[in-house]
Amino acid sequence: MLTLKRLPLVFFLLFFSCYFSLSNPGYFWDDWVWIFKGKEEAIRIGRELGIWWGGYATYAINSLPNPALAIRWFVFVFWGAASVLVAKFFRREEWVNAPMAFVLALLHAITPVALVRYQTSVAFYCLYIACFWFGALIFSKNRTLYLRLISLPFFFFSFYLNSLLVVYALLLAYFFFRYPLGSRLQITNCKSLWALLRKNADGVQVAFWAELFIFLRSNAAFVLLPIVFYVLKWVTTQHSQMYADYNAIQFSDLIWNAFKILPTFFKAVRDLLAVAFFGSTTKGLVIAFAISYSLLMLAFQGKELLLRHAGKSIALACMGIVFGCFAILPYVLVGKPPVLTSYYEGRHILPGLPAVLLFLLGCISTGLAFVRHERVRVQSGYVIISCLFASFSMTSMFIGADVWRDWMRQDAISGYIRNNAKEFHDVGTFIIVDHTSGYRVGKRNIWNYEYTGNIIYARGGKNSLGVGVNEYRHWGNNLMLIHDASYRERYNISQYVFSARHVFIEIDNGNYYPSLGTVFAISAYSLLGEKWKSESGKFFEINFHEEARIYPVMLGKLRLLTAKLENYKKVYGNYPLSNRIAAPGSVSLMRNGRVAPIPLSYADTGGNGLADKFVDIPNFEMEPGFLYYSNGQDYKLVYENAPDYNYAKVAMTKNLDPRHLGYGFWTVGATKW
């Protein structure tokens, strides 16, 4: 129960853990795809994802004056509601006492992992989870069927987070074993169940099947609800090539993944503590601990916070393990286990976060239950819970500040392009070379659609593409993003032309790195309507240069030389030999001085002999150069380590030589040289 004495603690923890997240006006990750969509396209994407109403909701949010801040407050409300509902449910079911329920709700609300939940693509997770626990609470409080039916629409809506279907099955099993079966057989714990099985196993079996039949009959609506959900989802889902195998179960790895569930849960517990205690500064933790401890003492006046009995504490920890394994089961089976140290993949723990916290609280209570001295036990509980409050709130604050810095970097790129609009008026591709450090939350990877969003944010239209230099280097000629109309439309580049001008945008740290206080000031001014401005050379250094495009010229030169080589072969019966072996495992060539049978004339090669102009030693210094291999019967003639190789491999359909990062000509037998 929230009283006046507890309000200071709640305010302190919520303010410091959530302020930076709630004040950030920026866009991240898939947000950049959604914000530029019209109503019809947003609705279509929602249907393709299997959420028929999702497009309507997202479009409505993006139509607000400040959609980013709106979605953050949306998350704050529903994640906070989910935290309260989780605590109330487990308090109602007598797994925790009242003070522990209060602690559970606060820890859940200020968790420092999966802050990606504040982004548009994950925000609805919070709504689904809140609906699920609201339905569970209604089901738990009411033994009358008609009152329990009120929970049906809330459960149904929560199933759009498909992993909650597995938790729902566990919840029904829990209610069956605890109430109809448990009440009839007077089972209160595992010990009484074991004693009853030893005494009358046949009677237990008969009672089990009888009560199961009654339970399924009286709760048929709840049993059939997942089927109804999937039928409706199948009817309302629009087929999409893009999402055809999204979250598909990898049946080849199914058994192996199943064995990973328990280790994955314990890894999540470990990572939660690692993120919480190592994501802040020592000074910040000490200050936050002192404040948390003082306010916690004020809130509960030194009363017992945790469970006293070891048996109940162990049962709570075990229940947390079972619940957690069910919650992460779907993610593990599709090969996407929760990684709490990742800004993106940490979101997969959200349905199972209560289980992780219950396991932690159960373990802490179990350890303290063996402390005989009551005052030491109680004070130890306050110290440990204060440590958790301090680490959770401070790390959430520091990560929130990192997200702000991340947005500052993005906005600086957009601002630079906007301020140099005349220079970039005919640019189609912006290749971002990010040398900054300390400006990517969690050192996250940034995909092309996020950089593209930065460009559109600066200049509008759908004729520009932004891409990180590392991703650009891995592009090839068959890239769906460039050639497939549906991908181009989805990622806001429907009018993009690859052959348009390319530039590299290089961004690096400036002379001043924004401290926590600076970020706080910037965020405060932002809330007051004053946009921050990146002073040149203060936070960032940004410049640009053109991407080289020499492959048409170089291929023209090489094509002329191939004609000379063919003429040479007609006259002498073989190609000019190179000075070294053509390739590992091929015919070894003896060094023969010049070339045999005679070198090409100086006139044929523009004034240079072939062996002088084309060397056969690979250029390990990664500088551009010519490469010629021949064993007499086959040859390879390439321009290696070409400065425009990344561009050429997207623009060209043949003549690419990935082995030497260049392009040229060769005979069939020399393809792999």
Side-chain angles (χ1 to χ4, degrees), residues 25-38:
Y27 301 96
F28 304 85
W29 200 27
D30 288 1
D31 293 5
W32 285 112
V33 177
W34 284 96
I35 61 172
F36 301 116
K37 298 300 180 188

Side-chain angles (χ1 to χ4, degrees), residues 490-506:
R490 178 62 44 86
Y491 293 108
N492 302 312
I493 57 170
S494 57
Q495 300 168 16
Y496 167 73
V497 178
F498 182 77
S499 60
R501 186 175 157 215
H502 288 216
V503 297
F504 286 91
I505 303 289
E506 297 201 38

Side-chain angles (χ1 to χ4, degrees), residues 12-329:
F12 166 74
L13 294 177
L14 290 181
F15 178 80
F16 281 95
S17 62
C18 301
Y19 168 75
F20 282 124
S21 295
L22 293 176
S23 63
N24 193 320
Y27 301 96
F28 304 85
W29 200 27
D30 288 1
D31 293 5
W32 285 112
V33 177
W34 284 96
I35 61 172
F36 301 116
K37 298 300 180 188
K39 184 176 181 179
E40 291 184 3
E41 191 175 0
I43 293 171
R44 186 178 72 253
I45 295 174
R47 289 182 178 276
E48 290 177 358
L49 290 169
I51 308 173
W52 66 268
W53 52 268
Y56 295 95
T58 305
Y59 179 76
I61 292 172
N62 288 335
S63 299
L64 297 173
N66 197 322
L69 291 181
I71 204 68
R72 282 147 181 62
W73 282 95
F74 173 91
V75 171
F76 178 75
V77 170
F78 284 103
W79 184 249
S83 303
V84 173
L85 292 167
V86 164
K88 281 186 170 292
F89 174 82
F90 286 102
R91 172 61 183 144
R92 171 69 180 81
E93 292 298 308
E94 299 179 347
W95 284 98
V96 297
N97 56 28
M100 185 183 279
F102 182 81
V103 169
L104 174 63
L106 276 180
L107 289 175
H108 191 274
I110 66 173
T111 180
V113 296
L115 288 185
V116 71
R117 63 182 180 269
Y118 284 100
Q119 312 310 326
T120 302
S121 303
V122 186
F124 287 102
Y125 281 35
C126 303
L127 175 59
Y128 303 145
I129 293 170
C131 287
F132 179 86
W133 289 109
F134 187 66
L137 191 62
I138 294 174
F139 195 102
S140 172
K141 282 189 173 183
N142 298 286
R143 298 290 171 260
T144 305
L145 174 62
Y146 295 108
L147 294 177
R148 289 206 305 270
L149 289 175
I150 298 174
S151 65
L152 278 174
F154 295 97
F155 280 133
F156 182 91
F157 190 73
S158 72
F159 293 162
Y160 281 103
L161 181 54
N162 294 164
S163 60
L164 287 175
L165 281 160
V166 181
V167 183
Y168 176 75
L170 177 66
L171 186 70
L172 291 183
Y174 165 78
F175 282 127
F176 167 68
F177 279 102
R178 176 146 192 177
Y179 294 109
L181 187 63
S183 300
R184 175 172 174 174
L185 299 178
Q186 297 182 344
I187 300 172
T188 57
N189 51 43
C190 294
K191 185 176 180 180
S192 61
L193 175 61
W194 177 247
L196 187 61
L197 286 171
R198 293 182 61 186
K199 182 178 179 180
N200 186 11
D202 292 338
V204 172
Q205 184 177 358
V206 172
F208 172 83
W209 291 111
E211 288 297 333
L212 180 60
F213 177 76
I214 296 172
F215 181 81
L216 293 176
R217 184 181 62 186
S218 60
N219 294 282
F222 292 93
V223 175
L224 295 174
L225 188 62
I227 300 175
V228 174
F229 170 78
Y230 267 109
V231 169
L232 181 62
K233 184 177 180 180
W234 178 75
V235 171
T236 58
T237 298
Q238 183 174 327
H239 175 72
S240 168
Q241 173 189 354
M242 200 172 297
Y243 302 115
D245 58 350
Y246 189 68
N247 285 339
I249 295 177
Q250 305 297 321
F251 289 100
S252 58
D253 300 326
L254 188 62
I255 297 177
W256 175 245
N257 285 339
F259 282 105
K260 295 180 181 179
I261 296 171
L262 190 59
T264 300
F265 173 78
F266 286 117
K267 183 176 182 292
V269 176
R270 181 201 68 188
D271 289 347
L272 173 62
L273 294 176
V275 170
F277 283 97
F278 294 101
S280 179
T281 62
T282 303
K283 182 179 179 181
L285 287 175
V286 171
I287 295 174
F289 169 78
I291 297 174
S292 297
Y293 180 80
S294 302
L295 295 179
L296 192 59
M297 289 293 293
L298 173 66
F300 290 98
Q301 303 293 306
K303 296 179 182 178
E304 187 91 53
L305 288 178
L306 305 173
L307 300 175
R308 287 190 175 190
H309 304 289
K312 288 186 176 181
S313 301
I314 293 173
L316 179 64
C318 292
M319 188 273 296
I321 294 174
V322 175
F323 170 21
C325 288
F326 271 79
I328 66 175
L329 172 65

Side-chain angles (χ1 to χ4, degrees), residues 393-601:
S393 59
M394 286 297 100
T395 298
S396 293
M397 180 179 72
F398 275 82
I399 295 176
D402 284 342
V403 177
W404 250 104
R405 295 186 184 99
D406 199 319
W407 168 241
M408 291 168 64
R409 175 191 54 78
Q410 292 188 71
D411 199 37
I413 293 173
S414 298
Y416 181 79
I417 293 172
R418 187 183 302 111
N419 295 335
N420 294 274
K422 291 183 178 180
E423 291 279 358
F424 300 139
H425 74 280
D426 58 346
V427 174
T429 305
F430 294 83
I431 305 162
I432 312 300
V433 185
D434 188 353
H435 300 296
T436 62
S437 60
Y439 284 97
R440 288 197 192 190
V441 56
K443 298 180 180 179
R444 68 192 184 96
N445 190 33
I446 301 176
W447 295 106
N448 60 80
Y449 49 79
E450 193 164 348
Y451 282 127
T452 298
N454 297 160
I455 310 305
I456 299 175
Y457 184 67
R459 61 191 300 199
K462 294 188 177 182
N463 59 345
S464 307
L465 182 142
V467 60
V469 65
N470 291 328
E471 182 184 356
Y472 182 59
R473 285 171 178 165
H474 289 88
W475 280 7
N477 182 261
N478 58 348
L479 191 68
M480 298 288 283
L481 180 67
I482 303 297
H483 301 291
D484 189 281
S486 60
Y487 277 76
R488 290 165 60 88
E489 184 68 32
R490 178 62 44 86
Y491 293 108
N492 302 312
I493 57 170
S494 57
Q495 300 168 16
Y496 167 73
V497 178
F498 182 77
S499 60
R501 186 175 157 215
H502 288 216
V503 297
F504 286 91
I505 303 289
E506 297 201 38
I507 179 170
D508 205 343
N509 289 44
N511 298 322
Y512 180 76
Y513 182 75
S515 65
L516 193 69
T518 302
V519 176
F520 182 84
I522 290 173
S523 64
Y525 281 117
S526 176
L527 287 176
L528 295 174
E530 184 176 332
K531 187 180 182 298
W532 83 284
K533 294 180 180 179
S534 175
E535 299 176 25
S536 178
K538 184 176 182 181
F539 294 129
F540 302 102
E541 290 284 354
I542 308 178
N543 56 69
F544 79 96
H545 62 272
E546 301 285 335
E547 182 182 27
R549 287 196 207 171
I550 61 173
Y551 81 90
V553 175
M554 297 308 301
L555 280 177
K557 292 182 177 180
L558 294 174
R559 188 175 287 107
L560 291 175
L561 288 169
T562 59
K564 305 290 185 181
L565 289 172
E566 293 300 333
N567 290 334
Y568 185 99
K569 186 179 181 182
K570 288 179 181 179
V571 175
Y572 299 106
N574 60 273
Y575 297 111
L577 297 174
S578 56
N579 290 335
R580 291 174 180 256
I581 60 172
S586 67
V587 178
S588 296
L589 302 175
M590 298 300 292
R591 189 175 184 87
N592 61 0
R594 299 171 73 181
V595 289
I598 61 173
L600 291 175
S601 69

